[in-house]
Amino acid sequence: MNVVRRLLTAMVVVFLVAPLVVVAVVSINRNRYMDFPPEGFSLHWYAQLWNDVGWRDAITTSLLVAATSAALAVAIATPMAYVLCAYHIRLAPLLYSLGILPFMLPPVISALGALVFWNSVGHSGRVENIIVSHAIFFSTLPLITVSLAMEAMDPSLPEAAQTLGASPRTTFRTITLPLLVPSMISGYAAAFVLSLNEYIIAFMVSRFSVVTLPIKIVNDLRYGFTPTIAAVAVVFIAIATTTFALFARFGNLLRFLGADPAILERQR
Amino acid sequence: MSELRRPSRGTWAVLAFPVGMLAVFFLVPFGIMLATSFYHRIEGGFYTPAFELDSWRRLLHGVFIERTLFSIGICLLAGAVCITLAFPFTYFLTRMRRRPHVTLLVLIMSALALSEVIVGFAWSVLLGRAAGISNILVWLGLMDEPAAYQPSFLAVLIGLCYIAFPYCVLTLYPQLTRLDPELTEAAQTMGASPWKTFWTVVVPIGRPIIVAGFLLAFVFTLGSYLIPAFLGRPEHWTLSVFISDQATFNANVPFAAAMALFLTVLSLGVVGLVTWIEGRTRG
């Protein structure tokens, strides 16, 4: 059993890490073409990410889309999670499903829906379309994090505030909202990272006129490989890993992923 | 929350923004998509309002049925491979000490967040002729000449497994952390080997979440666009590729809309099945 456990864990780690290692190796190759074993060491391809106008524009567009769409996603999800958890609403399960649904369905469906929507209102191929579509698609993530925080909240805290004479509005502003902030931040971070990486919705909504980083990578790959693509992949991997490592360090990653609170006590 | 308050007028006002956003930017596009599927297609990428069943009729044609069966087949296979590996892996993971536990979760989350663009690209490098596995084997003297393993069916399957495996782990994780450690301890105190405990205690208890995780992985891989497009030949394309290809390059939006609605029904059916299984095990 022990052997099986070690072997399986090792296999999984190798499987998940192997392609990333190969990409990292390719990205520091001095040669313009892919080689193995690599010849020489160079950070030239990383510099090009910033010096080349095409790449720099794609990076700034992607950062803009991810930052604003994640903020909008949190703005959509937080009031929804709060009301659905704090009030007795008969339609609550239905409304919650509506919030989860876009993310559950294959993204190509949201992508095509957004495409025909923006076509029919005559406003296609704009960057704000991608922002709105990403916000809707990824609002599921803050919806889950904030709902979990609502369920975990000690009900005596807002009750105490109300007993002491605070109005519901004041209670929300001074007690509930500050307690929800960590879950809003983790929801924001998850939506941000996934938006940065999203391709198919951005591609179909952009109608070839807005170029985000994943779109730029795919466009470039059509004309063949460049080490710059490997460099950008490494940057992506670094951003994702750093975000979740910080999450694990400062937030409660295990709880966010739905672990039984008891397990947090058991394993120290 | 112990007692749920009754909603006031202000409550509905608070709810108006999120529900309004979801209605306008998710439900309305769905309605437009439904309408578009009946529209008349004009050659060259346009369509005009009409009521025609042409696009829906095309769903009964050989090519579409073949694509559907292929997509379902490869995604079921990917789901099966992933759940077979992910279930024992996640079980072991939940029993690890804190440090490796969190480290592996960070790895899993990072892999999950990776763009399909990067997963597809990384595997095309790894399975390619220029800087991949075969070059390592040549370098080690195990092979004479580097070979390319993509595009191929196997490459698409590996890519799909790569994106679905972390997803599988995360769907199994919450339930497996709730598995009472006393159950397995009891089995072992009574003399069962760890293997026997795993097969006779853990797997039977986990059966509903295994089925649910498998079906969710199936829907998740069904949504993959870039993996089949990057790592496969056109005969390895799944419905997602086919739909966006029809919408963008072939410019047949009505047909793409009909296919997207079919895919919606298929995915919702599977998700409904999962909800039903979960409801049954809880009740």
Side-chain angles (χ1 to χ4, degrees):
Chain A
M1 192 71 174
N2 241 329
V3 178
V4 176
R5 194 183 72 201
R6 294 241 166 98
L7 201 67
L8 180 68
T9 312
M11 259 174 58
V12 166
V13 172
V14 168
F15 177 64
L16 292 180
V17 172
L20 313 182
V21 171
V22 171
V23 172
V25 169
V26 171
S27 77
I28 52 165
N29 194 355
R30 191 164 47 193
N31 206 323
R32 211 191 167 297
Y33 303 97
M34 275 193 288
D35 273 320
F36 190 92
E39 286 171 26
F41 170 83
S42 158
L43 290 176
H44 171 73
W45 311 112
Y46 288 88
Q48 201 181 28
L49 275 187
W50 196 247
N51 295 332
D52 183 285
V53 180
W55 283 106
R56 196 170 49 204
D57 284 353
I59 291 171
T60 41
T61 307
S62 264
L63 287 176
L64 171 78
V65 169
T68 46
S69 70
L72 188 55
V74 173
I76 292 171
T78 309
M80 188 144 160
Y82 171 70
V83 171
L84 294 186
C85 294
Y87 291 88
H88 181 78
I89 291 173
R90 199 171 301 155
L91 286 175
L94 192 72
L95 290 175
Y96 194 78
S97 308
L98 178 65
I100 302 286
L101 193 59
F103 196 68
M104 282 302 304
L105 292 175
V108 72
I109 295 167
S110 286
L112 189 65
L115 181 137
V116 292
F117 177 82
W118 295 111
N119 271 0
S120 63
V121 296
H123 187 272
S124 65
R126 307 283 185 84
V127 70
E128 58 266 30
N129 303 0
I130 305 181
I131 294 172
V132 171
S133 297
H134 273 189
I136 297 291
F137 191 71
F138 294 119
S139 62
T140 304
L141 300 160
L143 183 64
I144 292 172
T145 56
V146 178
S147 299
L148 281 174
M150 283 296 294
E151 278 163 24
M153 194 181 291
D154 184 353
S156 61
L157 294 173
E159 273 164 25
Q162 300 225 359
T163 320
L164 292 170
S167 68
R169 191 167 298 187
T170 315
T171 313
F172 178 78
R173 196 165 44 80
T174 56
I175 308 288
T176 315
L177 192 59
L179 288 171
L180 290 181
V181 165
S183 66
M184 288 162 71
I185 293 175
S186 45
Y188 181 90
F192 181 88
V193 170
L194 289 183
S195 162
L196 210 54
N197 282 289
E198 203 284 331
Y199 172 76
I200 186 67
I201 296 177
F203 168 66
M204 281 176 70
V205 172
S206 73
R207 310 238 74 186
F208 306 105
S209 50
V210 184
V211 178
T212 64
L213 204 42
I215 296 176
K216 167 84 175 149
I217 297 174
V218 175
N219 288 349
D220 273 32
L221 278 174
R222 284 190 214 282
Y223 301 106
F225 167 85
T226 60
T228 318
I229 298 172
V232 82
V234 171
V235 173
F236 261 111
I237 295 160
I239 291 175
T241 313
T242 314
T243 308
F244 292 114
L246 286 176
F247 201 153
R249 178 75 185 75
F250 296 106
N252 196 340
L253 184 68
L254 272 64
R255 193 76 195 92
F256 168 66
L257 297 177
D260 183 4
I263 202 177
L264 306 177
E265 305 302 316
R266 280 207 299 276
Q267 3 167 283
R268 287 284 162 196
Chain B
M1 290 280 151
S2 54
E3 248 172 65
L4 294 179
R5 278 176 284 164
R6 307 204 140 271
S8 64
R9 196 172 296 162
T11 317
W12 299 113
V14 171
L15 210 50
F17 174 68
V19 174
M21 287 294 282
L22 285 167
V24 173
F25 295 110
F26 183 68
L27 294 182
V28 170
F30 238 98
I32 298 176
M33 200 155 69
L34 182 64
T36 309
S37 71
F38 295 104
Y39 284 2
H40 178 71
R41 180 204 176 199
I42 305 169
E43 290 291 331
F46 300 99
Y47 46 93
T48 51
F51 187 80
E52 291 177 357
L53 291 172
D54 285 20
S55 300
W56 287 94
R57 229 175 261 135
R58 280 188 72 178
L59 296 188
L60 300 173
H61 277 216
V63 188
F64 178 75
I65 292 176
E66 191 198 277
R67 278 307 92 207
T68 308
L69 292 178
F70 176 81
S71 307
I72 292 175
I74 194 169
C75 294
L76 283 177
L77 191 57
V81 171
C82 284
I83 202 78
T84 313
L85 295 174
F87 185 79
F89 173 78
T90 315
Y91 171 68
F92 296 143
L93 175 71
T94 57
R95 262 118 225 276
M96 281 178 194
R97 271 174 296 115
R98 190 61 167 262
R99 216 185 172 84
H101 184 149
V102 173
T103 312
L104 282 174
L105 277 180
V106 171
L107 175 68
I108 295 282
M109 289 298 286
S110 311
L112 186 69
L114 269 193
S115 176
E116 269 192 53
V117 177
I118 290 168
V119 175
F121 165 66
W123 278 101
S124 72
V125 173
L126 196 60
L127 298 174
R129 198 194 297 271
I133 297 172
S134 62
N135 302 79
I136 298 172
L137 295 178
V138 170
W139 189 56
L140 291 172
L142 295 171
M143 263 171 81
D144 294 330
E145 264 188 11
Y149 303 107
Q150 54 86 14
S152 70
F153 178 84
L154 192 65
V156 178
L157 187 65
I158 292 175
L160 290 178
C161 286
Y162 190 91
I163 57 164
F165 181 83
Y167 185 76
C168 253
V169 171
L170 293 188
T171 56
L172 297 172
Y173 183 74
Q175 295 301 319
L176 279 177
T177 57
R178 282 170 179 75
L179 189 75
D180 192 348
E182 282 177 14
L183 284 175
T184 48
E185 277 160 22
Q188 297 197 15
T189 328
M190 290 160 79
S193 69
W195 257 123
K196 197 157 183 205
T197 313
F198 181 75
W199 283 110
T200 56
V201 178
V202 181
V203 172
I205 294 176
R207 193 173 294 139
I209 62 165
I210 293 177
V211 177
F214 165 65
L215 292 174
L216 289 175
F218 167 69
V219 175
F220 189 72
T221 50
L222 216 46
S224 168
Y225 164 79
L226 280 160
I227 300 290
F230 263 34
L231 298 171
R233 296 196 183 87
E235 71 256 32
H236 305 128
W237 284 1
T238 56
L239 278 181
S240 286
V241 187
F242 206 54
I243 292 170
S244 55
D245 197 53
Q246 284 293 332
T248 50
F249 297 109
N250 275 332
N252 189 347
V253 178
F255 183 41
M259 287 194 288
L261 289 163
F262 172 80
L263 185 60
T264 308
V265 173
L266 182 65
S267 317
L268 278 183
V270 178
V271 172
L273 194 62
V274 172
T275 322
W276 182 72
I277 293 170
E278 281 172 352
R280 253 178 56 130
T281 47
R282 216 167 282 152

